[in-house]
Amino acid sequence: MSKRMYDDIETLQVMIDLYFDDPEKMLSYAGLALALGFSSRDILNRYVNRGEADGASESEILCGRAIKKAKLRVEAWTIERALKGGNAGSI
């Protein structure tokens, strides 16, 4: 992987928290990627994959876990919105 934008969990977590701060925001993987300054959703997966790879540093593991959890929050929000009814466009 090329130079990582986030090498410490603290900075990454602040950016993730900022993304989720607005309760009116429509959440998506693309929106999360953009909020973190990434140029594609694939970079989210690269962080997760690198954190799960053999020999990953503690920072890589923690950053990968943080992004994995953020992606799960986006997915949960999408499902909850769809299940509330009248939001078929959310899926």
Side-chain angles (χ1 to χ4, degrees):
M1 183 190 309
S2 60
K3 173 75 174 110
R4 295 168 52 89
M5 186 175 290
Y6 299 100
D7 287 323
D8 67 281
I9 185 61
E10 292 83 14
T11 303
L12 175 62
Q13 192 61 59
V14 165
M15 296 304 293
I16 289 171
D17 292 343
L18 285 173
Y19 177 69
F20 289 106
D21 272 352
D22 182 357
E24 301 299 316
K25 182 183 292 178
M26 300 288 289
L27 304 179
S28 68
Y29 292 152
L32 176 62
L34 287 171
L36 295 177
F38 298 153
S39 59
S40 78
R41 294 176 301 160
D42 292 337
I43 298 173
L44 296 172
N45 295 329
R46 288 185 205 154
Y47 270 79
V48 171
N49 292 340
R50 183 62 195 141
E52 294 175 345
D54 289 339
S57 69
E58 181 178 357
S59 175
E60 290 169 328
I61 292 168
L62 294 174
C63 287
R65 286 180 184 163
I67 289 179
K68 192 173 186 176
K69 183 177 179 181
K71 288 177 65 178
L72 189 60
R73 287 179 68 184
V74 169
E75 185 177 345
W77 177 87
T78 303
I79 292 169
E80 288 168 10
R81 228 173 111 75
L83 293 176
K84 283 184 182 177
N87 292 307
S90 297
I91 22 183

